[in-house]
Coordinates of all heavy atoms in Angstrom, one line a residue:
A48 N -46.2 40.9 5.3 CA -45.3 41.7 4.4 C -44.0 42.0 5.0 O -42.9 41.9 4.3 CB -46.1 42.9 3.9
V49 N -44.0 42.4 6.2 CA -42.7 42.7 6.9 C -41.8 41.5 6.9 O -40.6 41.5 6.6 CB -42.9 43.3 8.3 CG1 -41.6 43.4 9.1 CG2 -43.6 44.6 8.3
E50 N -42.4 40.3 7.3 CA -41.6 39.1 7.4 C -41.0 38.7 6.0 O -39.9 38.3 5.9 CB -42.5 37.9 7.9 CG -42.8 38.1 9.4 CD -43.7 37.1 9.9 OE1 -43.9 36.0 9.2 OE2 -44.3 37.3 11.0
E51 N -41.9 38.8 4.9 CA -41.4 38.4 3.6 C -40.3 39.4 3.1 O -39.3 38.9 2.5 CB -42.6 38.5 2.6 CG -43.6 37.3 2.8 CD -42.9 36.0 2.5 OE1 -42.2 35.8 1.5 OE2 -43.2 35.1 3.3
I52 N -40.4 40.7 3.4 CA -39.4 41.6 3.0 C -38.1 41.4 3.7 O -37.0 41.4 3.2 CB -39.9 43.0 3.0 CG1 -41.0 43.3 2.0 CG2 -38.8 44.0 2.9 CD1 -41.8 44.5 2.1
E53 N -38.2 41.1 5.0 CA -37.1 40.8 5.9 C -36.3 39.6 5.3 O -35.1 39.6 5.2 CB -37.5 40.6 7.3 CG -36.3 40.3 8.2 CD -36.7 40.0 9.6 OE1 -37.9 40.3 10.0 OE2 -35.8 39.6 10.4
K54 N -37.1 38.6 5.0 CA -36.5 37.4 4.4 C -35.8 37.7 3.1 O -34.7 37.2 2.8 CB -37.6 36.3 4.1 CG -37.1 34.9 3.8 CD -38.2 33.9 3.9 CE -38.9 33.7 2.6 NZ -39.9 32.6 2.7
S55 N -36.4 38.5 2.2 CA -35.7 38.9 1.0 C -34.5 39.7 1.2 O -33.5 39.5 0.5 CB -36.7 39.7 0.1 OG -37.8 38.9 -0.3
V56 N -34.5 40.6 2.2 CA -33.3 41.3 2.6 C -32.2 40.4 3.0 O -31.0 40.6 2.6 CB -33.6 42.4 3.7 CG1 -32.4 43.0 4.2 CG2 -34.6 43.5 3.1
R57 N -32.5 39.5 3.9 CA -31.4 38.5 4.3 C -30.8 37.8 3.1 O -29.6 37.7 3.0 CB -32.0 37.5 5.3 CG -32.1 38.1 6.7 CD -32.3 37.0 7.7 NE -33.4 36.0 7.4 CZ -34.7 36.2 7.7 NH1 -35.1 37.2 8.4 NH2 -35.5 35.2 7.4
K58 N -31.7 37.3 2.2 CA -31.2 36.6 1.0 C -30.4 37.5 0.1 O -29.3 37.1 -0.4 CB -32.5 36.1 0.3 CG -32.2 35.2 -0.9 CD -33.4 34.7 -1.5 CE -33.2 33.9 -2.7 NZ -34.4 33.4 -3.4
L59 N -30.8 38.7 -0.1 CA -30.1 39.7 -0.9 C -28.7 39.9 -0.3 O -27.7 39.9 -1.0 CB -30.8 41.0 -1.0 CG -30.1 42.1 -1.7 CD1 -29.8 41.8 -3.1 CD2 -30.8 43.4 -1.6
L60 N -28.6 40.3 1.0 CA -27.3 40.6 1.6 C -26.4 39.4 1.6 O -25.2 39.6 1.4 CB -27.5 41.1 3.0 CG -28.3 42.5 3.1 CD1 -28.4 42.9 4.6 CD2 -27.6 43.5 2.3

Side-chain angles (χ1 to χ4, degrees):
V49 172
E50 290 174 16
E51 288 295 318
I52 292 170
E53 181 183 348
K54 190 166 97 175
S55 295
V56 168
R57 281 196 310 272
K58 186 176 176 181
L59 172 67
L60 294 179

